Amino acid sequence: MSKPLTIADLKILARRRVPKMFFDYADSGAWTESTYRANEDDFAKIKLRQRVLVDMTNRTLETTMIGEKAMMPVALAPTGMTGMQHADGEMLAAKAAEEFGVPFTLSTMSICSIEDVASVTSKPFWFQLYVMKDRGFVERLIGRAKAAKCSALVVTADLQILGQRHKDLRNGLSAPPKWTLKSFMQLATRPQWCLEMLGTKRRGFGNIVGHASNVSDLSSLGAWTAEQFDPKLSWDDIRWIKDLWGGKLIIKGILDEEDARAAADTGADAIIVSNHGGRQLDGAPSSISMLPKIIDAVGDRIEVHVDGGIRSGQDVLKAVALGARGTYIGRPFLYGLGAMGKDGVTTALNVIRNELDITMALCGKRDIQTVDRSILANVPF
Ligand code: GLV
């Protein structure tokens, strides 16, 4: 393929380079994947107003998310096992985000640890927290994020129990991969990936291995979440975390107006309207279809961000037009990373910036801060 021009191009390249179990892990939703598909499909239903003969010079996409400057309203989402898309994946993606000037969010379930990412970046990144039953472990994790000078904590509220993703079960997903005939066949056809992976020591869950005890299988995301994540997580715990952390707090996984009001009541700095990329409750509505209702409910009290289904700059523009202060990309940067390492993440960000910039101009706007619903020809939800 010649130079990748779209996120779909990067996806094709990633599929060729990344072993099936890890490509599938990124590219999967829960059960029938209907919510995963709806996230993308609903963006396509929104139409833009074409405007002509307006001054299109001196455009800017610059904005802030939770008060931090961003070169465009896009952050890298927390994604599990990023270091299995490419060796040292979280470190590479964090560096690409830093150079580009957008926030990077490190997942609790990352391969590279908080300390690894801090060692290769010079600006603060954000840390995403999963809450385990072992509150001592959670306190230590928050302490490590503070020590690494993370500037925001992103608490995920929609994964107390892992949604069933058929592909992961069929592939026997684990990090590092277990030596079965199936995984051997998947790895054998991706020699470059294997070579790069042999060149790093980071092949397990870096935030967990060596930091947690009493776990039966540290290589399995499924086993870890089932045994360790707290199914009793409540709004009181969010308040406990907020006090413990003492810094900027973002609550991720809000898809309901009532939950959005409860999140605003906690005094958090932002919420992310999200259904976890369709990976949790299959049958839930798309994120973008819920965004207007949630903005109406709490938009004057808390910053509202959105993730799920964003595959282009057009999608970012539509989300901003509907009131999102910021958006997150997960799969788009993972495809870039899997395809081409750090350069691939930069390519994904450039693709989205270019599409966002040109689309904004063709809608008659020069400053992302002035984009509102008036650029939309319809809002179908
Ligand atoms: C983890 O956050 C996952 O969705 O797999």
Side-chain angles (χ1 to χ4, degrees):
M1 182 190 290
S2 52
K3 190 172 174 300
L5 295 178
T6 63
I7 299 301
D9 289 347
L10 290 170
K11 182 173 179 178
I12 292 168
L13 293 174
R15 193 193 289 273
R16 285 185 203 151
R17 203 190 153 282
V18 178
K20 182 171 162 37
M21 76 167 70
F22 300 118
F23 178 85
D24 281 355
Y25 169 68
D27 180 35
S28 62
W31 278 295
T32 68
E33 302 192 332
S34 70
T35 298
Y36 173 23
R37 287 190 299 277
N39 277 347
E40 293 180 22
D41 294 348
D42 281 354
F43 269 108
K45 292 179 189 156
I46 305 170
K47 302 296 170 203
L48 300 165
R49 272 177 77 201
Q50 171 179 308
R51 304 303 305 280
V52 298
L53 302 178
V54 290
D55 184 357
M56 292 181 182
T57 56
N58 297 327
R59 296 185 302 280
T60 174
L61 301 174
E62 219 175 283
T63 190
T64 58
M65 289 171 75
I66 55 160
E68 291 185 18
K69 188 171 141 188
M71 293 313 285
M72 61 179 175
V74 178
L76 298 197
T79 51
M81 291 198 228
T82 302
M84 286 287 131
Q85 302 297 325
H86 190 288
D88 297 337
E90 291 88 356
M91 292 157 80
L92 301 181
K95 282 202 278 190
E98 177 170 299
E99 283 166 23
F100 195 93
V102 290
F104 171 77
T105 321
L106 182 72
S107 166
T108 293
M109 303 312 291
S110 57
I111 301 297
C112 303
S113 67
I114 300 174
E115 294 77 13
D116 288 333
V117 173
S119 74
V120 295
T121 49
S122 52
K123 288 192 216 126
F125 57 96
W126 297 352
F127 181 66
Q128 174 271 338
L129 181 74
Y130 278 128
V131 187
M132 328 290 173
K133 290 179 214 153
D134 178 351
R135 292 302 149 96
F137 180 74
V138 174
E139 281 186 42
R140 289 196 296 282
L141 210 48
I142 292 179
R144 288 167 61 196
K146 273 192 204 176
K149 301 204 168 26
C150 292
S151 57
L153 191 70
V154 179
V155 182
T156 296
D158 62 2
L159 199 149
Q160 288 160 258
I161 295 175
L162 192 71
Q164 179 164 317
R165 302 130 192 200
H166 299 321
K167 291 175 198 152
D168 294 350
L169 294 174
R170 293 196 174 111
N171 286 328
L173 175 75
S174 73
K178 296 204 168 68
W179 283 111
T180 62
L181 183 63
K182 195 181 268 180
S183 68
F184 178 78
M185 298 296 283
Q186 293 188 8
L187 298 185
T189 53
R190 301 291 185 274
Q192 185 66 28
W193 181 95
C194 294
L195 214 63
E196 284 158 2
M197 215 40 96
L198 286 173
T200 180
K201 57 182 191 314
R202 299 177 189 88
R203 295 191 287 261
F205 290 102
N207 290 325
I208 314 292
V209 179
H211 296 275
S213 45
N214 303 325
V215 188
S216 62
D217 183 357
L218 264 175
S219 67
S220 159
L221 181 71
W224 169 260
T225 47
E227 285 171 27
Q228 303 294 321
F229 283 25
D230 188 355
K232 289 201 206 132
L233 190 68
S234 73
W235 290 108
D236 286 339
D237 296 311
I238 301 289
R239 280 177 264 274
W240 171 72
I241 291 163
K242 187 171 184 295
D243 289 345
L244 202 60
W245 168 245
K248 297 259 173 80
L249 185 78
I250 302 175
I251 303 176
K252 175 174 180 282
I254 302 294
L255 202 67
D256 182 275
E257 291 131 286
E258 215 172 301
D259 289 341
R261 283 188 205 101
D265 289 345
T266 66
D269 296 274
I271 54 171
I272 309 177
V273 177
S274 172
N275 49 37
H276 215 102
R279 300 160 71 78
Q280 287 295 101
L281 178 62
D282 187 38
S286 68
S287 303
I288 194 65
S289 72
M290 289 307 295
L291 178 66
K293 300 175 188 73
I294 290 178
I295 294 271
D296 286 349
V298 296
D300 54 347
R301 295 174 61 204
I302 191 167
E303 213 168 276
V304 179
H305 303 171
V306 67
D307 76 13
I310 292 172
R311 301 290 176 269
S312 68
Q314 282 85 358
D315 295 341
V316 174
L317 190 71
K318 290 170 182 175
V320 171
L322 287 176
R325 181 78 202 173
T327 67
Y328 296 72
I329 51 168
R331 295 179 181 99
F333 97 79
L334 292 179
Y335 298 146
L337 182 69
M340 298 154 64
K342 177 171 168 251
D343 284 350
V345 179
T346 305
T347 303
L349 287 167
N350 276 326
V351 162
I352 287 185
R353 173 174 53 193
N354 188 38
E355 291 167 342
L356 176 58
D357 176 47
I358 293 176
T359 310
M360 179 178 76
L362 294 174
C363 289
K365 295 284 184 187
R366 297 192 295 176
D367 182 349
I368 194 81
Q369 306 279 351
T370 66
V371 167
D372 58 17
R373 276 178 185 235
S374 68
I375 69 154
L376 302 177
N378 76 329
V379 179
F381 12 78

